[in-house]
Amino acid sequence: MSPRRPREHQIEDESARILTNIVPAAWVLRNSTHDYGLDREVEIFEDARATSQLFKVQLKGSDDVDPKVPSVRIESDHFVYWRNLDLPVLLILVDVQSDTVYGRW
């Protein structure tokens, strides 16, 4: 029997592709190699120059998002961790069925 690729892994890859497509090409999108509640870091550039503005991203994907009330469950210890960071955190939910992206700082 061959190994299976769970739908959750496919959703994760699809949501990452969608995020990559919406971040301006002039900005830098970095992957986190060790994910402890933060998946990406974004550095903002303007006129090809670094602005010293950075933020972290926690990326969530789903193929079952209610567009009237988009939501995702986050463990409370993640909120405590994010609040103690020196950089802002953008929580992004991607509906991979419709390519719709929701975000909340």
Side-chain angles (χ1 to χ4, degrees), residues 1 7 9-10 20 22 28 33 37 46 49 64 69 73 77-80 83 95 101-102:
M1 182 180 258
R7 180 66 183 141
H9 293 183
Q10 296 172 42
T20 299
I22 66 169
V28 176
T33 55
E46 289 181 3
R49 295 188 181 274
D64 186 29
V69 187
R73 296 180 67 77
D77 59 337
H78 283 120
F79 283 112
V80 172
R83 187 177 55 227
D95 180 345
V101 178
Y102 305 91

Side-chain angles (χ1 to χ4, degrees), residues 44-91:
I44 300 173
F45 283 71
E46 289 181 3
D47 299 322
R49 295 188 181 274
T51 64
S52 301
Q53 296 176 322
L54 295 102
F55 62 92
K56 299 288 189 175
V57 173
Q58 174 61 44
L59 181 62
K60 298 289 185 181
S62 177
D63 56 6
D64 186 29
V65 175
D66 180 351
K68 294 179 184 173
V69 187
S71 63
V72 62
R73 296 180 67 77
I74 302 294
E75 295 183 28
S76 60
D77 59 337
H78 283 120
F79 283 112
V80 172
Y81 174 64
W82 297 341
R83 187 177 55 227
N84 291 317
L85 289 171
D86 291 332
L87 295 174
V89 176
L90 180 60
L91 175 60

Side-chain angles (χ1 to χ4, degrees), residues 11-23 29 59 92-101:
I11 290 170
E12 184 178 338
D13 286 350
E14 288 175 45
S15 63
R17 274 194 289 278
I18 291 167
L19 175 63
T20 299
N21 288 335
I22 66 169
V23 171
L29 178 63
L59 181 62
I92 295 178
L93 172 61
V94 177
D95 180 345
V96 298
Q97 293 297 321
S98 66
D99 289 354
T100 304
V101 178

Side-chain angles (χ1 to χ4, degrees), residues 22-45:
I22 66 169
V23 171
W27 295 9
V28 176
L29 178 63
R30 296 183 184 95
N31 292 335
S32 296
T33 55
H34 300 289
D35 177 10
Y36 295 102
L38 294 168
D39 299 310
R40 306 287 189 282
E41 179 179 85
V42 177
E43 184 170 2
I44 300 173
F45 283 71

